[in-house]
Amino acid sequence: MITGPSAGAIAQLAEDVGQALVRFAERVRREEAVPVADDEAAGRRLGKTQTRVLALPGLATESGMSSGEVAEQLSLAQGNAQRTLSSLTSNGLLQQVKGVRPTRWRAARRDKE
């Protein structure tokens, strides 16, 4: 056991670290399912993998990314990457790049109204 003049400071440090860890755990739980900001998908929630895929900078480019590139960057199985890209496309968040093989995806374009 810790005794002496520093015992109080060490106890306070342990308590502060514990409280910080609890706050961190709460934030992680809230971020497990991030609400979609898109009007068409309002009310839907994205899973962790979908959120990670949408965060890839390569999907914001004109040329987009292949499922293999997504799988490699996120250390996913190729099939999981393919299913996630297809799901995000069905939800209107991604679109396939036309006229290229292998298939590539990019962030869905929104027409200005």
Side-chain angles (χ1 to χ4, degrees):
M1 195 58 122
I2 300 171
T3 59
S6 61
I10 292 172
Q12 184 63 50
L13 174 63
E15 187 175 315
D16 291 346
V17 169
Q19 289 172 353
L21 287 171
V22 168
R23 286 191 304 273
F24 175 74
E26 290 168 349
R27 192 170 64 213
V28 167
R29 284 189 192 101
R30 280 194 308 269
E31 292 176 0
E32 281 182 350
V34 177
V36 177
D38 186 78
D39 289 339
E40 292 177 26
R44 295 184 190 175
R45 293 190 174 267
L46 296 177
K48 286 189 276 188
T49 300
Q50 291 173 321
T51 302
R52 291 175 61 212
V53 167
L54 288 175
L56 290 171
L59 290 173
T61 65
E62 192 69 24
S63 60
M65 298 177 73
S66 69
S67 60
E69 292 167 335
V70 169
E72 183 178 333
Q73 285 198 19
L74 298 180
S75 299
L76 297 173
Q78 176 92 23
N80 288 343
Q82 179 73 38
R83 280 188 293 282
T84 301
L85 291 165
S86 294
S87 173
L88 291 169
T89 301
S90 295
N91 286 318
L93 299 172
L94 294 180
Q95 65 184 41
Q96 289 185 358
V97 178
K98 295 184 190 293
V100 297
R101 291 285 175 235
T103 304
R104 298 181 73 80
W105 287 263
R106 65 180 169 217
R109 307 250 186 259
R110 299 287 180 226
D111 294 329
K112 294 183 180 179
E113 297 177 14

